[in-house]
Amino acid sequence: MTGFFLCDQPVLSLYSVGKITGTVVDLGHCKTDISVIAEGQVNYHSTKRLPYGGADLDKLMASLLEQRGLKCSDPQRLKELCARASSLPSSSEEAAAGEVHTLPDGQSITIAGEGQQLAQALLNPSLLGKDLSDLPSATVTQIMQHPDGPTRKAFAENVLLCGGGSCIPDLGTRFVTELQSVSPPSLQPAMCNCPDYMPEHTLKYSSWMGAAILSKMVFQQNQHITKLDYEEAGPMVVHKKCC
C-alpha cells in the first residue's frame, strides 16, 4: 500500500459529480443522512441522520403483500424490481396496471400500486411508523441552518440524491418537486446531474466513485500519509494532511 488518506463520505459523493459545495442526501440500507458541504468541508452543525432506509422498505413490501394474502420469498429483490416514484404525492396510492415480477427462485408476484407506496414511504417516513418529518422538509431545515444567504442558495441549487435508494426510478424528480414546494422563495432547489462521462450506477456507489477521483489527485501530488509520516507524527498526522 502506497499510503493513506481520509475524507468524509458525503464529500466524496459530491466529488463523483464534480461538485465541492452542495447538499448530499444519502439513502442507505438502515439510515438516511443529510449533509451540507461548503468548499469540500462538511458543516457538522447542519447534518442530520434519519433512522430509516432501504431495510424498512423491505419490511413494508412484505407487509403490503401480506395484506393481499401473499408471501414473498425475497421482498428486497421485489422492492428493487418494482419501486418507482409517482409524479405527484396525490397519485402515490393510485393503483397502477398490474405487473408480474419473477424472483430468482421462480416465484411470480403481480404488483399494482405497491411500488409507488414504497417510494412515497422513503420520502415520508411516517408511513413506516416513524415519528419523523418528511425528507424534503428535513433537508430544507438543514440547509436553512447555515447563517449565510448565498451559501444556503448554493446548498439548495446543488442537491445530490445518492445511495441505494436513489436508484428508484423518478425519485429524484419527485424529490426536487417536493423540495421546491417546502422551500422559502429565496431558495430554488435543483438536483446535481451525474456527468455523462461517469459510468452507470455512479450515484448508487457515489462515495466509491468520488474516492477514485480524489485518489488520483492526492497520490499524484504526494498529499497522502506515508508510513514515514505516521512514524514521525503518529495518529495526529491525519489532522495535518487530511483536513
Side-chain angles (χ1 to χ4, degrees), residues 211-231:
I213 295 170
L214 181 62
S215 65
K216 293 183 180 297
M217 296 185 293
V218 168
F219 286 91
Q220 287 180 359
Q221 298 174 12
N222 293 320
Q223 295 178 342
H224 59 284
I225 299 171
T226 64
K227 182 180 179 182
L228 179 60
D229 292 331
Y230 188 84
E231 290 175 344

Side-chain angles (χ1 to χ4, degrees), residues 32 49 60 78 94 113 121 151-152 184-185 237 242:
T32 296
R49 169 164 291 185
L60 178 60
L78 187 60
E94 292 180 359
T151 304
R152 291 198 301 267
V237 71
C242 299

Side-chain angles (χ1 to χ4, degrees), residues 19-227:
K19 302 286 185 178
I20 60 173
T21 296
T23 302
V24 176
V25 181
D26 189 345
L27 306 173
H29 183 63
C30 297
K31 49 81 178 177
T32 296
D33 290 327
I34 304 171
S35 307
V36 293
I37 299 157
E39 299 296 326
Q41 298 292 321
V42 178
N43 187 334
Y44 292 104
H45 296 292
S46 299
T47 61
K48 188 177 185 64
R49 169 164 291 185
L50 304 176
Y52 76 96
D56 296 282
L57 298 188
D58 298 343
K59 296 176 183 177
L60 178 60
M61 180 82 259
S63 175
L64 291 173
L65 293 176
E66 286 177 359
Q67 293 174 17
R68 293 170 49 195
L70 300 174
K71 287 189 177 181
C72 177
S73 60
D74 191 348
Q76 179 179 355
R77 177 61 176 166
L78 187 60
K79 172 197 69 177
E80 294 170 353
L81 289 171
C82 74
R84 59 178 50 84
S86 58
S87 57
L88 296 171
S90 59
S91 62
S92 63
E93 295 183 0
E94 292 180 359
E99 298 179 352
V100 178
H101 296 279
T102 302
L103 300 177
D105 65 355
Q107 182 185 17
S108 295
I109 295 180
T110 301
I111 295 298
E114 289 86 355
Q116 293 181 345
Q117 292 181 55
L118 294 179
Q120 176 65 13
L122 194 57
L123 298 178
N124 185 2
S126 65
L127 300 177
L128 298 169
K130 306 286 186 179
D131 186 17
L132 300 167
S133 61
D134 62 273
L135 186 57
S137 296
T139 302
V140 171
T141 297
Q142 300 313 118
I143 292 174
M144 293 301 295
Q145 287 186 8
H146 197 281
D148 182 61
T151 304
R152 291 198 301 267
K153 188 172 183 292
F155 290 156
E157 292 176 351
N158 295 279
V159 177
L160 177 64
L161 198 64
C162 62
S166 67
C167 296
I168 296 177
D170 300 323
L171 184 65
T173 302
R174 168 71 179 279
F175 181 58
V176 74
T177 298
E178 294 202 22
L179 275 178
Q180 293 167 349
S181 69
V182 297
S183 296
S186 59
L187 299 182
Q188 298 296 323
M191 301 297 292
C192 288
N193 293 320
C194 184
D196 294 336
Y197 55 79
M198 292 299 288
E200 189 179 1
H201 298 312
T202 289
L203 298 183
K204 182 177 181 180
Y205 305 109
S206 58
S207 59
W208 290 95
M209 295 296 188
I213 295 170
L214 181 62
S215 65
K216 293 183 180 297
M217 296 185 293
V218 168
F219 286 91
Q220 287 180 359
Q221 298 174 12
N222 293 320
Q223 295 178 342
H224 59 284
I225 299 171
T226 64
K227 182 180 179 182

